[in-house]
């Protein structure tokens, strides 16, 4: 990490990153200073990804800094999408195997009971990015329904956030399922990456795609009588390789 200016820190690690113990690409960040305050120029909410193993922590962290928190079950037992950020070491998706779904619901029970009465809690995200090729939509919807009921057992005010599925299919399928619940939010992740169709687009075509496709989808869903919409992840990087355009 290099402090390149008074207000900027860059990650300039040269080497092969990894998740093994002792890898120098892994570091701990400690906030040292006064509380973060939300105002029109600052941060008012953070989405905090956690793994299911937080249930084994005898001293799970408590929200600090005076901002609202969304607690996101980002890594479920067995991995719901085969990616490293969902705790898969070899690309396998084993969320449907054994009692992994039940253990995921137990993690939601833990999070809801632990944080429901903390004024910092804004919402609980039940799962992040289940993969449509390996996890049937009906299974995801049943899990979301069960998770919703668990959160509501502990809180009537926390938002219950349900992630889109990734992979082939319409990311709006969760929206179309019409959960019919109160204080439900659907989480969409917008990346112009990870799909070969973006690689042959020019920079301007990528920008046009945002306005033509992304914005029109958001406008359409927001206009419908259904759950709220939340863009939980996005990036201003394009899939085009070697572009020299601004």
């Amino acid at each position: 990490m290099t402090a390149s200016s008074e207000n900027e820190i860059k990650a300039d690690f040269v080497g092969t990153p990894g998740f093994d113990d002792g890898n120098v690409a892994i570091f701990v960040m400690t906030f040292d200073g006064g509380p973060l305050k939300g105002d029109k120029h600052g941060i008012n909410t953070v989405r905090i990804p956690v793994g299911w193993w937080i249930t084994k922590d005898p001293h799970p962290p408590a929200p600090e800094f005076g901002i609202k928190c969304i607690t996101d079950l980002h890594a479920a037992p067995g991995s719901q999408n085969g990616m490293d950020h969902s705790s898969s070491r070899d690309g396998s998706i084993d969320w449907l195997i054994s009692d992994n779904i039940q253990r995921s619901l137990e993690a939601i029970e833990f999070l809801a009971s632990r944080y429901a009465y903390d004024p910092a809690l804004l919402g609980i995200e039940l799962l992040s990015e289940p993969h449509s090729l390996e996890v049937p939509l009906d299974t995801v919807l049943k899990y979301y329904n069960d998770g919703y009921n668990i959160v509501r057992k502990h809180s009537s005010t926390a938002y219950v956030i349900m992630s889109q599925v990734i992979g082939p299919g319409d990311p709006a399928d969760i929206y179309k399922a019409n959960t019919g619940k109160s204080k439900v939010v659907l989480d969409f992740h917008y990346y112009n990456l990870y799909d070969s169709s973006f690689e042959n687009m020019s920079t301007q075509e990528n920008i046009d795609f945002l306005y033509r496709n992304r914005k029109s989808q958001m406008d359409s869903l927001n206009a419908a009588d259904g759950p709220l919409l939340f863009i939980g992840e996005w990036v201003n990087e394009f899939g085009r390789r070697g572009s020299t355009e601004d």
Side-chain angles (χ1 to χ4, degrees), residues 48-57 60-61 63 70-75 103-118 121 123-127 143 147 150-151 154-155 158:
I48 303 174
V50 300
W52 62 269
W53 51 89
I54 192 175
T55 61
K56 310 300 182 183
D57 189 339
I70 294 170
T71 303
D72 158 40
L73 184 61
H74 211 78
R103 291 167 64 202
S104 300
L105 292 171
E106 290 170 0
I108 298 301
E109 174 77 39
F110 174 87
L111 294 171
S113 62
R114 171 70 175 83
Y115 298 113
Y117 302 103
D118 193 305
L121 181 69
I124 293 177
E125 185 154 2
L126 302 177
L127 194 65
Y143 170 79
I150 289 172
V151 175
H154 297 279
S155 172

Side-chain angles (χ1 to χ4, degrees), residues 199 201 203 238-245:
E199 295 183 5
M201 289 185 182
T203 300
F238 296 149
R240 184 171 176 79
R241 303 290 185 264
S243 175
T244 59
E245 299 179 51

